[in-house]
Amino acid sequence: MSAALARRLALASVITGCLASTALAQTPAPSCGGDLGAFLEGVKAEAVAKGIPASAADEALAGAEIDQKVLSRDRAQGVFRQTFLEFSQRTVSQARLDIGRQKLKQFAEVFDRAEREFGVAPGVITAFWAMETDFGAIQGDFNTRNALVTLSHDCRRPELFRPQLIALIEMVQHGDLNPSTNTGAWAGEIGQVQMLPEDIIAYGVDGDGDGHINVKSSAPDAILTAAKFIQSLGFKAGQPWIQEVTLPDNLPWERSGLGNEMPAGEWFKLGVTPRDGNTNFGDLPAALIMPQGRKGPTFLTYPNFGIYLEWNQSFIYTTSAAYFATRLSGAPPYLKGTPEAGLDDGGMKALQAKLEALGHNVGKIDGILGSGTRQAVQKEQARLGLPADGWPTQALLSAL
């Protein structure tokens, strides 16, 4: 699953209780299942009701079929178990950094335009470009039309995917997509930064001036479309997103973690020290995050970090993407530190069970260090007089 879809699925789950809108929550769920021909006629009627010519719907849906491989992928989504050090060192490789810097030079004028018009730093766009598709090299080989037909027809989440199918028909109307040949990710994401059709319709920019928006084959289109999309998520020009810091031995560790912001200047007074020496953003709210505890890499996050959480809800992915962007913007490699050993899958599940028994809401007992588990760990560390850095260890498990 791409980051774009993960973001939409997260919002949809909040609304109902991969981006679901308020209007989506207020309208009945679309029809699904049954005879495929009848289903497609319903999709066509909906598209026409939205002002899309019937000819465009016919062209888009001609030859559409159910892709069983899409359903298999949807049912077998993996879980995220890597640590920050493992994931970030794999994704922020020297080869990717070298290619990213080459791309920044190759498309310097396009990146200048992106920053001038949308206020998004080049490194931010390039890091997403790298992490989503390796700069366009790996975009997925599923027929996009069939993937969206399959997921819209399937009754698991039609309210999420049917609007994307309608948007794809609109792209066909504009001449921006060939429904027979266009390929992408299994869940319908398209192009070099893996965007869903509704987002391409809403934020697409013709970067190369050919009269079309082609985020699959045109790097300028992909770069500028990504920039406009990131701006829509609330990115503020000229502000940082994440900043590596070093820590003193003693801090109010319970004040750390996402959601526990205070002015960066207050952190500086406590001895939190930016490695780049830049303390110019002391008035901005900042949260201290420690992906592997106080002995591993440590960062301050600023309001712009919120766009990463909008893009993808995975803490490890977002922190890695934000760090990647700082590297492309000139920051040195982070200090790895000497983080305490974490728990294996069995240990994490045992810890989650104990935390749940103590009254904490950790969600599903799945061995995954999600936000609920991190918060519960931090609270129990504080209760037991341990440094409350949110990193689960064998010492904590034993103490519980």
Side-chain angles (χ1 to χ4, degrees):
M1 182 194 304
S2 82
L5 178 61
R7 168 177 166 267
R8 283 179 176 263
L9 287 174
L11 264 70
S13 66
V14 170
I15 289 172
T16 60
C18 116
L19 179 67
S21 66
T22 302
L24 181 153
Q26 294 173 342
T27 55
S31 61
C32 59
D35 177 74
L36 180 59
F39 170 80
L40 294 175
E41 283 298 320
V43 171
K44 175 182 175 180
E46 182 178 343
V48 171
K50 292 181 180 295
I52 300 173
S55 58
D58 288 335
E59 179 184 355
L61 300 175
E65 57 187 18
I66 300 297
D67 187 338
Q68 292 297 329
K69 291 183 180 179
V70 168
L71 292 175
S72 296
R73 289 290 294 271
D74 186 42
R75 302 299 194 265
Q77 293 173 34
V79 292
F80 198 98
R81 299 183 185 278
Q82 295 182 48
T83 67
F84 172 71
L85 284 174
E86 291 169 341
F87 184 74
S88 63
Q89 289 181 51
R90 178 173 65 82
T91 54
V92 190
S93 64
Q94 188 60 53
R96 273 185 166 177
L97 286 166
D98 290 343
I99 295 172
R101 288 164 182 149
Q102 292 171 7
K103 297 294 185 183
L104 287 169
K105 291 180 180 178
Q106 180 182 356
F107 297 103
E109 291 185 3
V110 181
F111 282 113
D112 286 346
R113 178 182 168 188
E115 189 161 25
R116 185 174 64 254
E117 294 185 9
F118 305 113
V120 182
V124 172
I125 304 167
T126 307
F128 280 129
W129 191 11
M131 293 186 70
E132 290 292 333
T133 66
D134 261 337
F135 307 100
I138 305 171
Q139 298 186 35
D141 56 3
F142 290 85
N143 178 275
T144 304
R145 184 266 319 280
N146 288 345
L148 290 175
V149 164
T150 299
L151 293 167
S152 300
H153 180 266
D154 182 47
C155 289
R156 189 178 182 204
R157 290 182 303 239
E159 73 284 352
L160 176 61
F161 291 103
R162 185 159 173 150
Q164 303 303 329
L165 181 55
I166 300 297
L168 178 139
I169 297 172
E170 188 173 349
M171 292 181 68
V172 172
Q173 175 194 356
H174 296 162
D176 294 338
L177 182 143
N178 184 322
S180 299
T181 61
N182 193 90
T183 55
W186 65 265
E189 306 95 329
I190 302 168
Q192 300 188 36
V193 288
Q194 294 287 274
M195 294 179 67
L196 289 161
E198 275 194 316
D199 292 329
I200 296 171
I201 291 292
Y203 305 107
V205 179
D206 176 14
D208 56 19
D210 68 353
H212 293 282
I213 297 167
N214 190 333
V215 295
K216 186 174 176 66
S217 63
S218 171
D221 289 10
I223 290 167
L224 290 169
T225 298
K228 188 174 181 180
F229 179 59
I230 291 168
Q231 181 195 50
S232 79
L233 299 179
F235 192 89
K236 298 295 188 296
Q239 293 186 12
W241 48 94
I242 198 170
Q243 182 180 39
E244 188 186 3
V245 293
T246 58
L247 307 178
D249 292 333
N250 294 306
L251 273 177
W253 303 108
E254 68 280 358
R255 297 289 302 275
S256 66
L258 293 175
N260 293 328
E261 290 86 0
M262 62 181 180
E266 295 300 313
W267 288 112
F268 301 153
K269 290 178 183 178
L270 290 171
V272 175
T273 304
R275 281 193 69 202
D276 61 9
N278 186 354
T279 58
N280 293 332
F281 300 99
D283 292 336
L284 290 179
L288 177 65
I289 63 169
M290 299 170 282
Q292 284 184 244
R294 69 196 188 283
K295 296 183 180 181
T298 52
F299 306 90
L300 286 180
T301 65
Y302 293 92
N304 273 341
F305 188 73
I307 70 105
Y308 290 90
L309 296 172
E310 286 283 334
W311 189 285
N312 190 301
Q313 295 293 306
S314 165
F315 177 66
I316 299 303
Y317 178 99
T318 54
T319 306
S320 298
Y323 163 68
F324 198 165
T326 67
R327 293 296 312 280
L328 290 168
S329 302
Y334 56 56
L335 299 174
K336 295 180 183 178
T338 54
E340 296 178 77
L343 298 173
D344 61 16
D345 182 64
M348 277 297 302
K349 289 178 179 176
L351 175 65
Q352 288 176 319
K354 287 189 175 185
L355 292 170
E356 184 176 70
L358 288 166
H360 297 286
N361 180 11
V362 298
K364 183 179 179 182
I365 296 177
D366 55 7
I368 304 299
L369 182 56
S371 59
T373 301
R374 280 187 184 270
Q375 291 170 10
V377 165
Q378 193 171 30
K379 289 177 181 177
E380 287 302 312
Q381 287 172 325
R383 183 179 68 83
L384 294 168
L386 301 172
D389 61 3
W391 179 241
T393 62
Q394 184 61 48
L396 174 64
L397 180 59
S398 299
L400 292 176

